[in-house]
Structure formats: structure tokens, C-alpha cells
Amino acid sequence: MAKYFDVHPENPQRRTISNVADSIRSGALVAYPTDSCYALGCQLGSRDGIGRIRSIRNLDDRHHFTLVCQNFAQLGQFVHIDNDVFRAIKAATPGSYTFILPATKEVPRQLLHPKKKTVGVRIPDHAVAQALLAELGEPLLSSTLLMPGEDEPMTQGWEIKERLDHVVDAVVDSGDCGTEPTTVIDFSGGEAEIVRRGAGDIARFE
């Protein structure tokens, strides 16, 4: 049965966030809010967490997992970015974007796209996600909480708890955070390629 954490959306309770972070460090798979719908998250090197996310979402090995980072300095440890791409991404973060970029050696191999050796990265503009990332001190390995065969993610923490009670370890509920996933921009070829239109404004990348 999943633990349920009720967190204030703008002023997250420090003790609660600390408890969630401790759970993640202990191997927990959590459902947590972001600025573009709920996500599934686990510790960066958790093979069990990766397998469970793949199972819940029915994902194949071509799926780009996302490293959700606290800030740009952290993001830069995990992907290679040239100057032009650096400026474009810096101007759009934090925000509802996922960027696909060539991964550094810091990224566990099982997270990489098998052919491209790329990974998704993002910096959320959400108080709860940011508080959790600050407490963890490292990125969260994440994937949008979108169930197989469904067009929209779940938006309510209680609904997630009800449906995923036996497949996740914790649910962090800070209220509705929308149904639109991130806009995904692939910079792995040097130019911006829009892979998915979502919550982030694409005008700056067209």
C-alpha cells in the first residue's frame, strides 16, 4: 500500500518533503507533481525503479527517460550542450520543457536511448518538485504518469493513490497540476526538433 503525502502546493512542508526524499533514497517509486502533470520518479541508479516504470507505463527500450534536475548547473553534469543550445535551453528554464541531448558518462547506461545515446532532461517550475530535488541533492529519474491506452494523465493525488496503490510506494499530492505533459525538444542533432507539443510554448524553438 502506497504512503500518501499531502503537501502544500506553494509552501511545501519541510518535514514531509524530507520523508519523501528518504523514501526515494531507500528505493521507493513515487508519483509526484510537476508544472506539467504528475510524474513517476525514483532514484537515478535504481534498476528496480526503471523496471517498474516500464511495467506501469508499458514502455519499450526506445523510451526516453527524463532526468528532472533542480537547476542548470545540475543538468549540465548529465548532458553535453554546445553554446547555442546552452543559450536556448537556459532561456526556457525552469519551465514545462523536456530537452533530449547527448548524455555524459554520469548517466546510467540503462537510461540511454539504445542507438542515439541520448537522455531527456528538464528543470520544473513547481515548488513541490523543486523542494524535493533540493532535498535529494540529485536528479529524479522520471517519466510522465500516463497510463497505457489513455490520452491524458491523472490529475488528482487521491485518484493516483486509488489506482496505483499496489504498484507505487508513495503518492505526493499537492492538488491538480494539469493534464498537459511537457513540450519535448530534441537538440541531439544540434538543431531544435519538436518531438511533442505540450505545456511549454514552442514559439521560441520554431
Side-chain angles (χ1 to χ4, degrees), residues 5 7-8 22 27 32 38 41 48 53 61 65 71 98 104 117 120 130 148 151 158 160-161 172 189-190 203:
F5 296 97
V7 181
H8 193 282
D22 285 344
Y32 73 99
Y38 278 82
D48 177 64
I53 292 172
D61 64 357
F65 281 97
N71 51 37
T98 298
T104 67
K117 308 303 180 196
Q130 278 290 339
D151 295 327
W158 62 265
I160 295 167
K161 170 84 163 79
V172 181

Side-chain angles (χ1 to χ4, degrees), residues 4-21:
Y4 182 78
F5 296 97
D6 189 8
V7 181
H8 193 282
E10 293 169 11
N11 298 294
Q13 304 91 316
R14 195 165 184 175
R15 179 177 289 182
T16 306
I17 292 296
S18 179
N19 287 339
V20 177

Side-chain angles (χ1 to χ4, degrees), residues 119-166:
V119 71
V121 286
R122 90 179 202 84
I123 303 171
D125 187 13
H126 191 281
V128 175
Q130 278 290 339
L132 184 55
L133 291 164
E135 184 68 27
L136 277 172
E138 64 179 25
L140 259 174
L141 166 61
S142 293
S143 183
T144 303
L145 208 177
L146 184 61
M147 300 300 284
E150 297 186 9
D151 295 327
E152 290 192 345
M154 288 177 275
T155 62
Q156 302 293 339
W158 62 265
E159 181 190 8
I160 295 167
K161 170 84 163 79
E162 204 168 77
R163 287 190 57 188
L164 302 183
D165 205 20
H166 299 291

Side-chain angles (χ1 to χ4, degrees), residues 72-73 75-76 80-93 101 187:
F72 208 87
L75 181 149
H80 296 289
I81 312 177
D82 67 26
N83 287 340
D84 289 342
V85 173
F86 174 93
R87 284 190 290 270
I89 294 178
K90 191 87 163 69
T93 55
L101 289 158
F187 271 115

Side-chain angles (χ1 to χ4, degrees), residues 49-139:
I50 294 167
R52 290 168 69 190
I53 292 172
R54 285 193 193 280
S55 175
I56 291 168
R57 291 205 51 205
N58 194 22
L59 301 171
D60 62 25
D61 64 357
R62 291 168 298 180
H63 175 75
H64 269 109
F65 281 97
T66 299
L67 301 182
V68 178
C69 301
Q70 183 189 359
N71 51 37
F72 208 87
Q74 192 177 74
L75 181 149
Q77 298 173 37
F78 296 93
V79 287
H80 296 289
I81 312 177
D82 67 26
N83 287 340
D84 289 342
V85 173
F86 174 93
R87 284 190 290 270
I89 294 178
K90 191 87 163 69
T93 55
S96 303
Y97 299 93
T98 298
F99 301 101
I100 296 171
L101 289 158
T104 67
K105 291 181 179 177
E106 299 293 317
V107 180
R109 205 166 75 189
Q110 67 265 32
L111 301 186
L112 302 180
H113 186 282
K115 290 183 179 176
K116 297 180 178 181
K117 308 303 180 196
T118 49
V119 71
V121 286
R122 90 179 202 84
I123 303 171
D125 187 13
H126 191 281
V128 175
Q130 278 290 339
L132 184 55
L133 291 164
E135 184 68 27
L136 277 172
E138 64 179 25

